[in-house]
Amino acid sequence: MQIRTAPAPVAEIFDLRRSVLRPGLPADAAVYPEDSDPGVFHMAAYDGDAVAACATFFPDPVPGEEDVPAYRFRGMASAPEVRGRGFGAAVLRAGIEEAARRGAELVWCNGRVVARGFYEGMGFTTDGETFEIVPSGAHHRFVLKITAAG
């Protein structure tokens, strides 16, 4: 199955981000300060016309590697009904490709510990110790070096 991905306005991905990552919290809990910064893009994967997965990418160096062009992503979410069907992987691959087009050599995130297998399966490595992000829980920093092959 070919999954359609495309950059999308934040308004198009916001409800999915909020419902998956900040359930039960006020809507503003899912607003990120980077959402409208220059260089930011929001990527969506679609199941028909519905946003099935999303992530927000913004220029931000990996701590300790400030001289290497990098994009960080956050707000990655997949609708519960499509999990395990490749929508999350598709939106992440599309975001990595777009970040590479914009000159990134690294892509990274602070990802939930429970998602470690997913990120490692996508080629990311863990960087540093486990740390806590309130209200989301235990996280790792995951980093991917973008190669010429993508």
Side-chain angles (χ1 to χ4, degrees):
M1 165 178 78
Q2 179 75 11
I3 296 174
R4 181 173 67 92
T5 59
V10 68
E12 189 169 314
I13 66 159
F14 187 79
D15 285 342
L16 179 63
R17 179 202 288 177
R18 183 189 52 74
S19 68
V20 171
L21 300 177
R22 302 290 187 264
L25 296 177
D28 64 354
V31 174
Y32 299 151
E34 304 87 5
D35 278 338
S36 58
D37 285 356
V40 169
F41 64 94
H42 310 280
M43 192 61 67
Y46 297 89
D47 185 14
D49 291 332
V51 175
C54 64
T56 296
F57 292 78
F58 53 98
D60 191 23
V62 176
E65 299 194 49
E66 285 77 10
D67 294 338
V68 181
Y71 264 75
R72 178 179 170 193
F73 63 96
R74 65 184 299 194
M76 186 165 171
S78 295
E81 63 273 14
V82 303
R83 289 196 187 134
R85 294 179 36 205
F87 287 89
V91 80
L92 184 53
R93 275 192 301 272
I96 291 166
E97 290 169 6
E98 180 63 24
R101 279 192 287 276
R102 294 173 181 230
E105 296 176 22
L106 299 172
V107 173
W108 68 285
C109 73
N110 292 326
R112 295 174 192 214
V113 169
V114 296
R116 182 177 186 159
F118 170 77
Y119 289 119
E120 289 179 346
M122 296 289 296
F124 286 77
T125 57
T126 58
D127 179 33
E129 300 296 319
T130 301
F131 57 94
E132 196 77 18
I133 296 179
V134 176
S136 306
H139 283 65
H140 286 295
R141 179 179 306 132
F142 296 99
V143 179
L144 176 74
K145 180 171 176 42
I146 299 173
T147 64

